Amino acid sequence: MDSDEPRLQLYLEPSEPIEVSELTGALGALARQYQSFAVENSLARKPSDARLLVSSVSPGSIDISFYPDLAAFFASAPMLELIEKADLIAKFAGMLKDLFDRFTKKESEGITVKDCDDAINIMRPIANHGGTQTFNTINGGVTVNITTIGAPEASMIMEAAVQQKALLQTSDAEIRQSVPMLWKRVDRDDTKPEAKSTPDRALIEEIDPKPHAVFFTDEMSGIKKQMIGDESNPLLTVYFVDVSVSRIAGKVVSYRIIGYHGKDQLEVSNEELVVHHSDFDSLAVAG
């Protein structure tokens, strides 16, 4: 590819190494978003006809350049070859930014489950490992910044996408947002999203006066470490979470955490403090 050809650049600067599967997941999500863009803009008749190609990968921080494969499009419509590739790439980049902005603003109209999955995968490397990711368009010697997203915003977009996906998949799902939760039992081991049972139990008094099992969605599996990783005793902390509530015959049986909004220390008396420490020590929580 000619170095002067217009292209879309994804520049990742993670704070720590990211997993290969997370990077390939992000690239796959970008390819799927381009397929939708190409079909909507009559650049391809079906998604499988639309290809987003990697033109270069630079050393150092992860620097990947993309360009759309328009050969088939121009072959079928040669008179349209005058379309500026730079304009198409800028339009696609703008569509990506609009998608991210809609999750930031929690605007759900027109959002699909695929959009949710793609946003989750694109944000996952930075949300999980810190740093920033930047989308630029490059045309000749001109670089235009489309958006730069840091870890806090990536986490926000990812959580909003998880919530919206849950709502789309189960229209009658009971979702409660920003409710205070107290752990009553918590294992420090990593959560296993596919597990059908869990040792974790938590109390959310706004929903039910009894503690219940707590699960995490696959997309939110890394949040547990963020919640309790720096706590010597998580039972002495209030966590503010979004949950999907599962019921059987009207009774709460479990919570699935789909969002996390921070924590605060629980105010307790000295007598209660001794009890809480005793309860936590007796759990033999894995360290």
Side-chain angles (χ1 to χ4, degrees), residues 43 50 100 107-108 114 125 204-205 207 218 242 259 271-272 285:
L43 301 175
F100 303 152
E107 297 174 352
S108 59
K114 181 183 74 68
I204 304 178
E205 290 189 345
I207 301 174
D218 180 44
D242 302 331
E271 293 79 6
E272 291 174 316
V285 177

Side-chain angles (χ1 to χ4, degrees), residues 141-245:
V142 179
T143 299
V144 177
N145 174 252
I146 302 302
T147 185
T148 297
I149 300 171
E153 186 179 359
S155 295
M156 182 189 307
I157 292 170
M158 191 171 169
E159 290 178 18
V162 170
Q163 293 174 7
Q164 183 59 28
K165 180 181 176 180
L167 290 172
L168 289 169
Q169 289 183 320
T170 312
S171 59
D172 58 350
E174 181 182 349
I175 306 294
R176 300 291 291 273
Q177 297 181 318
S178 298
V179 292
M181 182 187 80
L182 297 175
W183 288 111
K184 292 302 180 180
R185 179 176 180 179
V186 58
D187 190 329
R188 284 198 189 276
D189 288 342
D190 290 340
T191 181
K192 297 178 177 60
E194 73 283 358
K196 295 182 180 179
S197 63
T198 174
D200 300 337
R201 298 288 185 276
L203 172 66
I204 304 178
E205 290 189 345
E206 286 188 16
I207 301 174
D208 193 83
K210 296 180 180 179
H212 296 285
V214 174
F215 295 89
F216 291 80
T217 62
D218 180 44
E219 298 86 357
M220 296 297 294
S221 58
I223 291 296
K224 183 178 179 182
K225 181 179 179 181
Q226 181 181 337
M227 293 173 71
I228 69 172
D230 60 349
E231 294 289 341
S232 59
N233 186 344
L235 305 188
L236 294 173
T237 302
V238 181
Y239 299 86
F240 299 95
V241 296
D242 302 331
V243 295
S244 175
V245 183

